[in-house]
């Protein structure tokens, strides 16, 4: 088989795993991973690897459940009782406006930085951010209503490929031609420093993503099955998931390396705010690859953040409508597509409300969302375990004892991290 055919076959096997990557690779990677490298050099690479190992089973259980049963994992929650679905709805709705607003405003800030739109028409920067955010959400609404899963699937393959290639190229160039500030570096990570611990907890809490993304992945997997008219095999499902999951870990390490090679020990201050720092990140790419790379990297970074905006905007209403359909199966008014559209409009309205009235308080709101994500992580972990280890799962697809032990160690680690984070706050 030719190289072209092999590549085409490889790409054709990918789908929901890249949607997962598109939702996961955003602020946590472009901003937090790069800052981790800029603050502590290469030290936190091991933390990225450990948190991916801890969370792996719980993220895998979403697509595994769909491949085994043909249903999304919320059906597994339902078998535990409607309380589990209500709990999922509460956790989703309590954070969705803040999460969507944070992602959207960083994307808007990146557009402002790339195209030099600061103070557009003499307006206040916050007004500019609100206007651009509104346009972004309107564009995302049009794309989602017109394309749904198929469009997301095609866009993500292009976006992730471009980002991966440019990131690898930037890291290689920096490794061979880096500024070499390490000799003057004086800051090292310390477990006795509360500020360092809070940064680590926040960094790992959304690395690679909050655990409710496992539910989204399961729903996207079911949508893919419906779009192609057949059930994707367990082998192809897990291959797709692992490519996306390992890819997010690899990209997180790439961004950390860039931050370490360019900023660690350089005394370059971090730009205030995620959007401004994302612009600083593009400058790092340019420094590593040359001026010719700026437009390519700018497009890749912007496409990455827009893909996160798009996939998260799709995921919240899609998962909420799926949950409501399970709670109220006999309500004809709660047609899944209609409910999806209603919640899509609700989340856009709520996001714009936050951006218009509370943009100045965005950091505090994100902290609230982060706390909820920390508290929710062990809850989602246990729910996913209960669903996948239940009798409803076919025996041949139910994980073995080693995975069961792995899961409980992960639950203990996530619970410990959550408690420690709350105590530090």
């Amino acid at each position: 088989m030719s190289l072209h055919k092999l590549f085409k076959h490889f790409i054709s096997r990918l789908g929901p795993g890249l949607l997962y990557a598109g939702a996961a690779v955003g602020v946590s990677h472009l901003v937090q991973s790069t800052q981790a490298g800029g603050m502590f050099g290469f030290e936190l690479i091991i933390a990225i690897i450990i948190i991916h190992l801890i969370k792996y089973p719980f993220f895998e259980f979403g697509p595994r459940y769909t491949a085994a049963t043909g249903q999304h994992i919320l059906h597994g929650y339902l078998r535990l009782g409607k309380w589990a679905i209500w709990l999922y709805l509460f956790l989703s709705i309590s954070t969705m406006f803040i999460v969507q607003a944070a992602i959207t405003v960083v994307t808007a800030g990146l557009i402002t930085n790339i195209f030099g739109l600061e103070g557009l028409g003499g307006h206040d920067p916050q007004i500019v951010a609100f206007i651009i955010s509104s346009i972004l959400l309107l564009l995302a609404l049009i794309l989602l209503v017109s394309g749904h899963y198929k469009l997301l699937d095609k866009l993500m393959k292009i976006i992730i490929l471009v980002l991966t290639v440019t990131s690898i190229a930037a890291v290689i160039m920096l490794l061979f031609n880096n500024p070499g500030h390490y000799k003057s570096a004086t800051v090292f990570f310390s477990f006795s420093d509360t500020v360092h611990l809070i940064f680590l907890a926040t960094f790992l809490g959304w690395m690679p993503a909050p655990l409710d993304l496992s539910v989204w992945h399961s729903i996207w997997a079911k949508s893919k099955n419906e779009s192609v008219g057949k059930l994707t095999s367990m082998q192809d499902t897990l291959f797709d998931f692992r490519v996306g999951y390992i890819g997010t870990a690899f990209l997180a390490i790439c961004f950390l390396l860039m931050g370490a090679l360019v900023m660690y020990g350089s005394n370059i201050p971090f730009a205030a705010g995620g959007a401004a720092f994302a612009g600083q990140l593009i400058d790092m790419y340019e420094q590593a690859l040359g001026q010719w790379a700026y437009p390519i990297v700018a497009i890749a970074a912007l496409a990455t953040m827009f893909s996160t905006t798009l996939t998260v905007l799709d995921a919240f209403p899609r998962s909420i409508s799926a949950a409501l359909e399970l709670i109220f199966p006999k309500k004809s008014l709660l047609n899944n597509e209609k409910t999806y559209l209603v919640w899509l409009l609700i989340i856009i309205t709520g996001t714009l409300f936050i951006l218009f009235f509370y943009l100045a308080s965005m950091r505090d709101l994100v902290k609230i969302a982060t706390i909820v994500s920390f508290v929710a992580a062990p809850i989602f972990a246990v729910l996913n375990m209960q669903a996948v280890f239940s009798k409803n799962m076919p025996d041949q697809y139910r994980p073995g004892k080693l995975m069961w032990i792995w899961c409980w160690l992960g639950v203990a680690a996530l619970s410990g991290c959550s408690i420690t984070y709350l105590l530090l706050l």
Side-chain angles (χ1 to χ4, degrees), residues 267-295:
N267 295 319
I268 299 173
F270 294 127
F277 184 79
Q280 209 170 18
L281 173 64
I282 295 176
D283 292 336
M284 289 185 209
Y285 275 95
E286 186 179 12
Q287 180 176 332
L289 301 175
Q291 289 186 347
W292 64 269
Y294 184 88

Side-chain angles (χ1 to χ4, degrees), residues 87-347:
L87 179 60
Y88 173 77
L89 281 171
F90 170 75
L91 293 172
S92 292
I93 294 171
S94 64
T95 60
M96 67 179 186
F97 298 122
I98 300 170
V99 170
Q100 188 67 56
I103 293 167
T104 305
V105 78
V106 170
T107 310
L110 199 52
I111 291 173
T112 303
N113 183 282
I114 291 170
F115 296 103
L117 302 178
E118 297 91 345
L120 181 67
H123 290 296
D124 182 276
Q126 290 191 6
I127 299 297
V128 174
F130 177 78
I131 293 170
I132 296 175
S133 297
S134 301
I135 295 170
L136 277 172
L137 291 173
L138 178 61
L139 177 59
L141 172 65
I142 293 168
L143 289 173
L144 290 174
V145 170
S146 62
H148 281 305
Y149 176 82
K150 288 183 180 179
L151 179 66
L152 276 174
D153 186 39
K154 290 178 181 178
L155 282 175
M156 214 51 57
K157 288 177 181 178
I158 298 169
I159 290 167
I160 296 299
L161 182 63
V162 171
L163 181 70
T164 302
V165 171
T166 52
S167 298
I168 292 172
V171 170
I172 291 173
M173 293 295 288
L174 282 170
L175 285 171
F176 283 100
N177 184 30
N178 70 80
H181 301 300
Y182 268 80
K183 292 180 181 178
S184 59
T186 56
V187 178
F188 303 97
F189 185 85
S190 172
F191 283 99
S192 62
D193 190 318
T194 303
V195 174
H196 289 187
L197 285 175
I198 290 176
F199 174 83
L200 179 65
T202 306
F203 174 46
L204 298 183
W206 279 2
M207 177 59 64
L211 268 182
D212 46 342
L213 212 156
S214 61
V215 176
W216 303 355
H217 193 162
S218 180
I219 292 171
W220 283 323
K222 185 173 184 293
S223 294
K224 181 185 179 181
N225 292 339
E226 292 170 352
S227 69
V228 299
K230 64 177 182 178
L231 189 65
T232 306
S233 69
M234 181 64 74
Q235 183 181 6
D236 283 348
T237 296
L238 294 183
F239 172 80
D240 172 52
F241 164 73
R242 286 165 185 162
V243 169
Y245 195 77
I246 294 171
T248 57
F250 176 76
L251 284 173
I253 292 172
C254 280
F255 288 123
L256 184 145
L257 288 173
M258 279 189 282
L261 292 169
V262 175
M263 301 189 77
Y264 186 56
S266 67
N267 295 319
I268 299 173
F270 294 127
F277 184 79
Q280 209 170 18
L281 173 64
I282 295 176
D283 292 336
M284 289 185 209
Y285 275 95
E286 186 179 12
Q287 180 176 332
L289 301 175
Q291 289 186 347
W292 64 269
Y294 184 88
I296 298 173
V297 174
I299 290 170
L302 183 55
T304 301
M305 283 309 305
F306 182 67
S307 74
T308 306
T309 304
L310 190 65
T311 48
V312 172
L313 187 63
D314 173 74
F316 274 120
R318 189 180 291 275
S319 60
I320 289 171
S321 60
L324 289 172
E325 189 178 33
L326 293 177
I327 294 174
F328 305 105
K330 296 181 181 179
K331 298 286 185 181
S332 59
L333 289 176
L334 288 172
N335 173 274
N336 197 268
E337 285 297 318
K338 289 180 181 177
T339 311
Y340 170 84
L341 182 58
V342 168
W343 278 97
L344 187 58
L345 294 173
I346 288 173
I347 191 172

Side-chain angles (χ1 to χ4, degrees), residues 26-42:
V27 178
S28 62
H29 287 63
L30 269 72
V31 178
Q32 289 181 316
S33 292
T34 315
Q35 287 185 344
M39 290 170 68
F40 306 112
F42 300 146

